[in-house]
Amino acid sequence: MGGEGKKKKKNLVIYPGSFDPITYGHVNIVDRALNIFDKIIVSVAINTTKSGTFTIEERVDMMQEVFKDEPDVEVDSFSGLLVDYVRERRAQAILRGIRTVTDFDYEFQMALANKSLDPDVEQVFMMTEGKYLYHSSSIIKEIVSLGGSVGEMLPPIVEKRLGEKLRT
Ligand code: ADP
């Protein structure tokens, strides 16, 4: 319980993911989380076994552009265990988004694994808003590579870079 006169602790949450690339589905989670948390670190997980479409630097660069007018959002990347990164950044919680039962299944397993690695870690899940349900980086990449339009799913800079990447 926070006593009178005690300085309120700023709550900081880490939103980790592949973000390969970032979509409006991710952006919507960040926008809504800003109503709950003081600061959000959106952080690209460096996965040495998965190469991805964009390099880590390219993903971070696009995310910095997308959140450039949002002072309470920091873009970062990390390698190693998420729970170690959370402790290192002194964050209060991990944020993840959920679209489907498949997401839930995966997130539930990951959450239990994180909890067993660090019993102090708190994990918060936000449900997608209906229109973002089918927004997944992999489906969007498939649509772009087949020549479809994804302007409603991606911030303009991401749409442009993805087009250049997949159509060349
Ligand atoms: P990962 O490979 O770690 O799942 P993603 O970049 O695919 O990374 O997703 C990061 C997080 O954002 C995950 O928790 C995922 O479920 C969530 N997410 C992705 N797309 C959406 C969306 N359209 N609505 C809500 N959550 C989403």
Side-chain angles (χ1 to χ4, degrees), residues 100-139:
T100 58
V101 176
T102 318
D103 273 355
F104 174 81
D105 215 36
Y106 176 70
E107 295 296 336
F108 191 47
Q109 286 183 36
M110 287 295 293
L112 291 178
N114 286 333
K115 201 77 183 162
S116 81
L117 289 166
D118 181 353
D120 291 332
V121 76
E122 287 303 343
Q123 300 171 82
V124 176
F125 299 90
M126 289 184 85
M127 293 294 165
T128 188
E129 277 180 11
K131 65 176 171 176
Y132 301 107
L133 181 65
Y134 59 93
H135 287 201
S136 87
S137 304
S138 51
I139 291 178

Side-chain angles (χ1 to χ4, degrees), residues 15 17-19 25-26 29 96-99 103 107 128 132 135:
Y15 180 26
S18 309
F19 304 108
H26 297 124
I29 295 288
R96 296 280 289 175
I98 291 185
R99 286 159 296 191
D103 273 355
E107 295 296 336
T128 188
Y132 301 107
H135 287 201

Side-chain angles (χ1 to χ4, degrees), residues 1-13 33-39 72 90 92:
M1 294 287 124
E4 291 272 326
K6 230 183 180 181
K7 196 164 170 249
K8 187 178 171 286
K9 199 159 83 176
K10 284 250 179 193
N11 59 47
L12 168 65
V13 73
L34 280 171
N35 295 322
I36 304 171
F37 298 98
D38 297 314
K39 184 177 170 189
D72 297 325
R90 297 176 182 277
Q92 275 73 50

Side-chain angles (χ1 to χ4, degrees), residues 84-100:
D84 290 342
Y85 176 66
V86 170
R87 230 180 283 133
E88 186 189 304
R89 295 301 315 255
R90 297 176 182 277
Q92 275 73 50
I94 296 168
L95 171 68
R96 296 280 289 175
I98 291 185
R99 286 159 296 191
T100 58

Side-chain angles (χ1 to χ4, degrees), residues 39-58:
K39 184 177 170 189
I40 302 176
I41 301 176
V42 189
S43 198
V44 181
I46 301 171
N47 184 340
T48 43
T49 57
K50 228 166 53 176
S51 62
T53 303
F54 290 97
T55 65
I56 302 298
E57 293 71 28
E58 287 170 331

